[in-house]
Amino acid sequence: MAAPSSSSTCSGVMERCIRERVPPLLTDLYQFTMAYAYWRAGRHDEHAVFELFFRDDPFGGGFSLFAGVHDCLLFLRSFRFTDEDVEFLRSVMPPDTDPAFFQFLRCLNCSGVTLHSVPEGTVVFARVPLMEVAGPLAVVQLLETSLLCLVNYASLVCTNAARFRLAAGPKRKLLEMGLRRAQGPDGGLTASRYTHIGGFDLTSNVQAAFLFGIPVAGTMAHSYVTSFTSLEEVWPQTLSAVNGEHNPVDIISLTKGWLSRVCDLLGAEPGKIHEGELAAFLSYAIAYPQNFLPVIDSYSVGCSGILNFCAVALVLCELGYRPVGVRLDSGDLCKQSLDVHRVFRLCSEQFSIPAFDSLIIVGTNNISEESLAEVNSKENAISVVGVGTHLVTCTKQPSLGCVYKLVEVRGRPRMKVSEDPEKSTVPGRKAVYRLIDPEGHPFLDVVCLAVESPPEAGLPLSCYPLGCNHTALSVTPARVTCLRQEVFSKGQVTQPLCSTAETRAKVQRSLQTLHPRHKRLQKPDSYTVALSQKLHNMVKEIQKGSSNNTNFLLAN
């Protein structure tokens, strides 16, 4: 395992990485055509407010984790167009675009933008406005696609990781190993970073370890094992004791002796042992005697892999080293882990080698959330579970579906009134409060108008749960917290940027406060999100005005 890089190094590298990964051109063309139309009409500097939220909790679950805020802040801080950007836009936008617009773009930045956001790593719920982006209309319009891109997948894969952690339980270590299955290099890096934040302990991704300080782990693949055919390929064939006090020993002869004793102990047939596998294990153990953790199912776990491992591991113990364990990558992982653990225990007892009591077993075999929950429900001896495809590709749900909607222009509320009620938006600038019960569990998020007084602990509050057919609910919180805070203003980040480790700890604290009924992986209870009385009334008034056609020109 490599040591994580320093926080200062990570910060500088990440800032450069954001400028390269998310330049202002990483957006949809229609953002520029709308910005031009605003500019052409003289509306580009009108003060506007957008909100970012998602409509349904992912994976059929009861919660999500909000992630990607850190990158959003770095993106806003570095947002500006280069001459090259502007010249490219000039070549792809309609030819009748006024040339002065491109000079306007060249001078654009986020100095007039203010961002209020739920802190990164917070447990959040559907329909809650997670970000409020306020500023000049043209600028905040141009930010839409990039901000959505930065939070959608980050939040989704972070939530997926948290669900895997809940399925695994708190003690079993989890290794993310999905880089080769990820949607491209950026998807792989994002997955490694946010699965660690969501609860995974380790990654196989070396670049993610460098950038984000995540502990990195890995030893060998089946290809390494199958590349060997004979003990003659082992070189060098000697190994010194860990204290270096004696001459190097003939490790092949020593291993053959231990292999014979292991076969006698287990009643195994020496003729079924694969020599190439033993050669691979020996070669790796000579290279890394303190990090010996081979995959043992290239041929047969019971007839070859476990025998070869024990022989080599016993040699290492005799020379003062501590082997780490084994990896299983096929078959019934629970049953095989118990069989392997039994062999470890027999060797420990028979040969008086206490190190065999602490050997770990890593399980990796196309693990999904369901199969991990099944592993956790059965008797097994698996210490670490490695997860790849189902984690990083989020196979149960490919997108979180975050949206970015206009809620105010020139101080006036704006609302999308849709034939599909799910697609209607909630107008106006808002504040969001989380209500906490006497046991410390959040039980309701209430969305209020920004000008309203906040709810108070111990006082009853009348509100209207979303999706409950306009029925009022009266609640009395034991404690109230304001969910959003200002994080960006006047071109500067206004809150300290958290490290990956700090955000990871915040996730665990946030999840611990959530009631178990909302954390259930199957059929969780729905968390209540409600509108305040005043906001509810404003929504009804706007909907009524829309149905009466008050916002339309009627031809008479």
Side-chain angles (χ1 to χ4, degrees), residues 126-314:
R127 308 294 299 187
V128 173
L130 307 174
M131 279 185 171
E132 178 194 85
V133 187
L137 179 56
V139 179
V140 291
Q141 182 71 70
L142 286 170
L143 299 176
E144 174 182 7
T145 302
S146 301
L147 293 178
L148 288 172
C149 182
L150 286 168
V151 302
N152 254 313
Y153 178 63
S155 299
L156 184 74
V157 78
C158 190
T159 305
N160 202 26
R163 291 176 62 86
F164 272 88
R165 167 50 68 196
L166 290 171
K171 296 181 179 180
R172 202 186 311 274
K173 284 192 177 296
L174 293 176
L175 163 67
E176 176 273 315
M177 44 188 291
L179 178 59
R180 65 188 60 194
R181 305 290 168 79
Q183 286 92 339
D186 190 69
L189 277 174
T190 303
S192 296
R193 178 184 182 185
Y194 288 105
T195 54
H196 181 62
I197 286 174
F200 273 61
D201 303 283
L202 308 159
T203 183
S204 66
N205 185 339
V206 178
Q207 179 71 355
F210 169 69
L211 288 174
F212 312 123
I214 305 171
V216 63
T219 52
M220 70 173 68
H222 294 101
S223 58
Y224 180 84
V225 177
T226 58
S227 73
F228 288 82
T229 58
S230 165
L231 289 173
E232 294 178 358
E233 296 170 282
V234 178
W235 189 261
Q237 297 188 345
T238 60
L239 182 65
S240 298
V242 69
N243 56 21
E245 292 179 358
H246 304 288
N247 292 328
V249 300
D250 180 348
I251 194 170
I252 291 182
S253 297
L254 199 57
T255 301
K256 287 180 177 179
W258 275 113
L259 184 58
S260 177
R261 296 173 68 181
V262 171
C263 287
D264 290 343
L265 173 65
L266 302 178
E269 299 180 39
K272 292 185 177 181
I273 295 173
H274 201 284
E275 183 178 338
E277 182 180 58
L278 179 59
F281 289 3
L282 272 171
S283 182
Y284 196 91
I286 292 168
Y288 288 112
Q290 298 281 31
N291 192 40
F292 183 53
L293 194 158
V295 58
I296 62 171
D297 65 344
S298 297
Y299 302 105
S300 168
V301 173
C303 294
S304 182
I306 187 60
L307 304 171
N308 283 329
F309 169 80
C310 287
V312 176
L314 287 163

Side-chain angles (χ1 to χ4, degrees), residues 434-505:
R434 179 156 291 174
L435 309 188
I436 314 296
D437 68 18
E439 287 73 42
H441 300 301
F443 69 92
L444 185 145
D445 286 359
V446 60
V447 184
C448 307
L449 290 169
V451 295
E452 291 187 65
S453 298
E456 294 185 39
L459 296 181
L461 172 72
S462 180
C463 56
Y464 288 79
L466 292 170
C468 288
N469 202 25
H470 315 310
T471 302
L473 175 69
S474 181
V475 294
T476 302
R479 187 161 56 90
V480 178
T481 61
C482 182
L483 271 186
R484 295 192 314 207
Q485 58 186 354
E486 182 192 280
V487 292
F488 187 88
S489 181
K490 299 178 181 178
Q492 298 298 320
V493 177
T494 57
Q495 295 288 335
L497 292 173
C498 293
S499 68
T500 300
E502 289 168 336
T503 306
R504 185 175 189 270

Side-chain angles (χ1 to χ4, degrees), residues 328-390:
L328 298 168
D329 190 49
S330 60
D332 186 335
L333 297 182
C334 291
K335 181 180 182 303
Q336 287 190 109
S337 71
L338 292 173
D339 293 341
V340 168
H341 187 261
R342 180 183 64 84
V343 172
F344 289 167
R345 189 175 64 251
L346 287 173
C347 288
S348 173
E349 295 171 354
Q350 179 67 26
F351 305 126
S352 301
I353 307 290
F356 265 59
D357 293 327
S358 58
L359 292 172
I360 69 170
I361 300 172
V362 181
T364 60
N365 183 19
N366 198 31
I367 301 292
S368 66
E369 179 188 305
E370 290 78 12
S371 62
L372 182 55
E374 184 179 352
V375 165
N376 208 40
S377 69
K378 293 181 177 179
E379 184 182 3
N380 67 83
I382 299 171
S383 315
V384 181
V385 175
V387 190
T389 304
H390 294 291

